[in-house]
Amino acid sequence: MRKIQFIGVFSLIFLLIGHSVLAAETKKVEFFGVGATVTELANQEFKVETTGEKEGEGFVHTPSAPTSINVKYKVALKGEGKVYLKIEETDARGTFLNEVKSEEIQLTDEWKEYELEAKIASLQSQLDVFVLTSSKQETTFFFKNVEVLNE
């Protein structure tokens, strides 16, 4: 009887540990639409469809906490229309601290990688990275390989 209880407890512990390890490995990176719909496609590619109601539609992503005051935002894009990259920095209370915006980018039907560098005020800051339309335009674009590097 003791042997059966031991096996039962051991099995339960194994299942709980295995589940938490598996959950850590399958952490999903989230992207949210800003006046747009974001759809995940195959191979870590995403489709963004904007409504065209206002300038500044696209997507936002909040990466993990920075470990350096120098950060680089990288993303591969293709599609139609004009967009820009943006890094926005806020403090722990959500107070706006800083914004860095790229020049306007004319998208093409071929994948192209873009970068935007920023110097942030604090390692306690929260960063949000965006790709947004530069004018009122209903458009569709695609993105992949989003990275925020600490340099």
Side-chain angles (χ1 to χ4, degrees):
M1 187 66 156
R2 264 191 167 322
K3 192 174 189 177
I4 293 173
Q5 287 176 337
F6 175 75
I7 291 172
V9 169
F10 181 75
S11 297
L12 181 61
I13 291 171
F14 179 75
L15 286 172
L16 290 174
I17 291 172
H19 183 280
S20 65
V21 167
L22 190 62
E25 290 177 9
T26 59
K27 182 181 177 189
K28 185 173 179 166
V29 176
E30 294 186 341
F31 303 96
F32 299 99
V34 177
T37 302
V38 178
T39 307
E40 184 171 4
L41 307 173
N43 302 321
Q44 298 287 314
E45 294 178 9
F46 296 83
K47 177 181 181 180
V48 179
E49 297 172 287
T50 69
T51 62
E53 293 179 16
K54 61 182 179 177
E55 177 186 334
E57 297 175 334
F59 78 87
V60 61
H61 167 64
T62 303
S64 56
T67 57
S68 170
I69 60 168
N70 296 306
V71 296
K72 183 187 291 186
Y73 170 33
K74 295 170 65 173
V75 61
L77 299 168
K78 75 175 184 176
E80 56 188 52
K82 295 179 181 178
V83 297
Y84 58 88
L85 309 182
K86 182 168 93 167
I87 300 172
E88 197 171 273
E89 178 184 6
T90 57
D91 68 12
R93 293 182 175 168
T95 304
F96 175 81
L97 297 175
N98 187 29
E99 173 184 284
V100 176
K101 196 177 350 182
S102 73
E103 297 293 319
E104 191 174 65
I105 298 166
Q106 175 63 55
L107 297 176
T108 67
D109 58 356
E110 298 292 322
W111 287 109
K112 186 171 177 188
E113 190 169 280
Y114 299 91
E115 296 180 357
L116 181 62
E117 295 182 16
K119 187 171 188 170
I120 61 174
S122 169
L123 294 181
Q124 282 69 46
S125 295
Q126 175 178 309
L127 300 179
D128 291 316
V129 295
F130 302 81
V131 173
L132 301 170
T133 57
S134 61
S135 63
K136 279 176 120 175
Q137 58 182 307
E138 185 177 337
T139 190
T140 299
F141 66 89
F142 300 85
F143 71 92
K144 66 180 181 178
N145 302 335
V146 173
E147 292 181 279
V148 179
L149 306 170
N150 296 285
E151 305 204 316

